[in-house]
Amino acid sequence: MTTSPLMPAWGVDHLPTLLAHCRRCGTYTFPSNAWGCRECGDDTLDKVPMPQTPRLRNFITVYGDVAPGLTSPVVVGEVEIAPGVVEEALIAVADESQLKLDMPMEAIGADSADTQRGLRFRPLKAQR
Amino acid sequence: MSRLLQERAVHVVGIGMHPYQFPSETPYVHLGLTAVREALKDAGLQWPQVQAAFVGTAAIGMAAGRVMLRHLGSTGLSVTQVENASASGSSAFRLACQAVASGEHDVVLAVGVDKTGHARRASGSDGLSTLSPTSNLPVAKFALLARRYLRDGGLNIEALARVAVKNHGNASLNPYAQFRKPRTLEQVLASPKVAGELTVQQCCPRGEGAAAVIVASAAAIARLGLSRTRSPRVIASVSISEKLGRGDVPPIVQMVRDSSLAALEQAGIAASDLNMVELHDAFSIEEIVYGEAIGVSKPGEGAHDLARGDTAIGGRCAVNASGGLIGMGHPIGPTGVGQIAEITRQMRSEATGRQHPNTRLAMAHMIGLGSVAIAHVLQKTD
């Protein structure tokens, strides 16, 4: 995985510090190296892990080659990783048939056989 | 701005276009000058009578305005370049209106011009990473929005595809449109899938082109002997950006709702008074959800209104009579200015072949990456 101080490619090693938590208003912001709280703009932010089991709020399949480095078809979901923080993320499933709305997810990293890099999500083992 | 537009009337006195087209070797200067010269001729103005110019462009580069406009003569007018993503042209038009409404100038040009392929997005340079390479891609965002809308409304994919059928049909009647072929429901659905339920023919094309409008004060119309009845009045101009989401309404939809409501309040009218809307349908789902957010349709009724023909030319409120971004094209800089040109043409009853009857009150609504929203309301002048 390629990383740099300013542009980390999120991986499992980043999970303990994935989000920023605002000391002033308590809002969670993604990513943890954001330049300020997305709600109040304060810059006193603590790096924290996901405070809840991530949930899948929506998903689609992307068919076209719409982004560099993206191998299609690929399933993309909206995953709620903290209260009010819903991020687009790659979903590590073969197709949409394995997914249900609001199902709990877990974050996984890429292995050497994967063509996609960085952090992805898949259904929690108990849901599979 | 609302007080300014009430105190000092701003009218659209001239419109001009270079047809939107697929990427070519044509220099942007030719595209832009074609539109500006057509607008000058349409208004009956000479270039030295234009006191300021706002140039909406996202992909050409620095200082495009003077490089282009000097070929009309070096009059020393004020030239300002405006970049606001898809809303660049709308923002240029808003600044032109402000320049007249404030009393600084009497006759001002707003021109949008762009070539495809050179724009860089700042979202890739903020020093932050996303979880997905699709995170800053509109097509994925709107495919997700489409999936949610269809699911919540119990609708099938035809509901989305009808937007493209209508807008390709409208564009086929528009000599300035990039696509000039009507499409059937079967053709739209059979075109290659891009993301979710969105097929290629439900997505706007990449392209280039230009659009120009000239705005003037009522005093200038009288002094210069321009046609008042061919010059719709701008009665509202609003610009906002996105807030954090609250509840189940996606932030971008809430932004459209807030901006259009503010524009309607500024104009002193209700959404039901609008009989024409030009809006940002880069993807089919946008027309339906933005139509509901603006108030053209009741919540959850957008797809049904479309199927009934309420938003077709000749319907209750024509949406994207130009063909919209899907059919007319979306060259970025020109798009918002082109919306104003279309509404003006319709209010003059000069939209041959695609004339919507009795266009009296119309909204031009654009969004831009980021996200920002610009809304204008125009009123026919009797």
Side-chain angles (χ1 to χ4, degrees):
Chain A
M1 182 165 44
T2 303
T3 59
S4 70
L6 281 181
M7 296 286 286
W10 301 105
V12 287
D13 49 332
H14 294 104
L15 284 173
T17 57
L18 192 66
L19 289 133
H21 186 250
C22 180
R23 292 184 190 177
R24 181 181 175 195
C25 72
T27 297
Y28 288 95
T29 296
F30 174 82
S32 56
N33 59 340
W35 305 104
C37 170
R38 67 194 179 102
E39 175 70 44
C40 72
D42 199 80
D43 63 355
T44 53
L45 305 173
D46 295 316
K47 295 185 177 184
V48 297
M50 288 184 286
Q52 63 186 39
T53 301
R55 294 264 172 184
L56 183 66
R57 299 305 187 196
N58 197 4
F59 55 87
I60 55 165
T61 300
V62 173
Y63 301 96
D65 294 328
V66 296
L70 191 71
T71 305
S72 62
V74 63
V75 178
V76 172
E78 290 177 313
V79 181
E80 185 167 9
I81 57 177
V85 181
V86 179
E87 289 292 318
E88 269 182 45
L90 299 177
I91 309 299
V93 292
D95 59 59
E96 295 180 20
S97 65
Q98 300 168 53
L99 302 175
K100 293 177 183 173
L101 280 184
D102 301 323
M103 69 190 311
M105 308 292 281
E106 64 180 341
I108 61 169
D111 62 40
S112 58
D114 281 322
T115 55
Q116 316 292 354
R117 69 189 178 110
L119 205 61
R120 299 167 304 157
F121 290 79
R122 69 182 178 190
L124 264 180
K125 191 173 183 180
Q127 307 291 318
R128 281 183 267 149
Chain B
M1 186 66 168
S2 63
R3 186 168 40 83
L4 285 176
L5 285 173
Q6 289 165 4
E7 290 177 356
R8 195 161 190 263
V10 177
H11 294 263
V12 178
V13 298
I15 58 174
M17 304 281 303
H18 185 290
Y20 298 169
Q21 61 191 23
F22 287 98
S24 74
E25 297 299 317
T26 307
Y28 87 88
V29 173
H30 173 77
L31 303 175
L33 289 179
T34 300
V36 174
R37 286 187 165 121
E38 189 172 292
L40 288 166
K41 183 179 179 184
D42 177 66
L45 287 167
Q46 302 298 314
W47 177 240
Q49 293 171 304
V50 177
Q51 299 159 317
F54 292 92
V55 183
T57 185
I60 291 176
M62 287 194 293
R66 168 69 182 147
V67 171
M68 172 176 68
L69 297 172
R70 66 191 174 95
H71 298 284
L72 294 166
S74 297
T75 63
L77 83 168
S78 165
V79 177
T80 305
Q81 183 157 321
V82 184
E83 188 278 303
N84 210 4
S86 294
S88 297
S90 305
S91 299
F93 176 70
R94 176 173 155 79
L95 290 168
C97 291
Q98 286 178 325
V100 172
S102 69
E104 184 179 12
H105 297 296
D106 266 333
V107 180
V108 178
L109 167 72
V111 53
V113 58
D114 247 327
K115 299 282 291 183
T116 191
H118 301 293
R120 294 179 60 207
R121 297 178 182 182
S123 58
S125 304
D126 64 356
L128 305 176
S129 287
T130 60
L131 287 176
S132 170
T134 63
S135 293
N136 293 315
L137 289 180
V139 66
K141 179 179 186 171
F142 290 114
L144 284 159
L145 183 63
R147 175 67 60 86
R148 180 180 293 114
Y149 185 87
L150 295 179
R151 184 172 60 230
D152 291 351
L155 298 166
N156 56 29
I157 56 175
E158 285 80 2
L160 284 181
R162 286 192 189 94
V163 173
V165 173
K166 172 178 70 68
N167 292 351
H168 279 288
N170 292 350
S172 73
L173 304 169
N174 183 351
Y176 298 105
Q178 187 166 341
F179 286 128
R180 303 293 310 282
K181 290 181 182 175
R183 303 288 184 185
T184 66
L185 193 62
E186 292 72 23
Q187 287 173 322
V188 171
L189 291 170
S191 63
K193 288 183 176 180
V194 181
E197 280 70 36
L198 297 177
T199 59
V200 165
Q201 290 183 9
Q202 295 176 62
C203 306
C204 68
R206 300 175 71 196
E208 62 184 31
V213 302
I214 300 171
V215 293
S217 65
I221 288 175
R223 186 179 75 251
L224 300 171
L226 309 182
S227 170
R228 188 172 180 279
T229 56
R230 292 183 77 243
S231 304
R233 181 175 175 181
V234 184
I235 58 173
S237 177
V238 167
S239 171
I240 67 170
S241 62
E242 191 174 295
K243 297 179 187 174
L244 288 186
R246 296 281 186 265
D248 292 334
V249 181
I252 197 164
V253 177
Q254 188 62 48
M255 179 179 71
V256 174
R257 185 181 293 176
D258 291 345
S259 54
S260 55
L261 181 61
L264 291 168
E265 286 179 355
Q266 198 177 111
I269 63 171
S272 57
D273 294 325
L274 294 170
N275 48 13
M276 172 166 286
V277 172
E278 290 281 310
L279 56 74
H280 184 283
D281 62 323
F283 305 96
S284 55
I285 183 63
E286 291 183 273
E287 178 170 307
I288 296 175
V289 296
Y290 298 164
E292 293 179 10
I294 290 169
V296 170
S297 297
K298 293 177 182 173
E301 293 294 314
H304 302 299
D305 287 354
L306 171 66
R308 276 195 300 267
D310 287 357
T311 55
I313 293 171
R316 172 170 53 81
C317 178
V319 177
N320 288 326
S322 65
L325 281 60
I326 286 176
M328 185 174 179
H330 182 29
I332 310 293
T335 310
V337 180
Q339 290 181 326
I340 303 298
E342 173 69 13
I343 287 169
T344 301
R345 204 180 305 279
Q346 292 278 353
M347 286 185 170
R348 295 171 172 176
S349 298
E350 294 174 355
T352 306
R354 65 181 193 288
Q355 181 63 48
H356 182 61
N358 301 317
T359 306
R360 298 197 62 81
L361 287 163
M363 178 179 287
H365 194 284
M366 277 297 285
I367 64 166
L369 277 174
S371 300
V372 299
I374 315 289
H376 287 96
V377 178
L378 276 71
Q379 182 177 38
K380 178 180 170 63
T381 304
D382 294 315

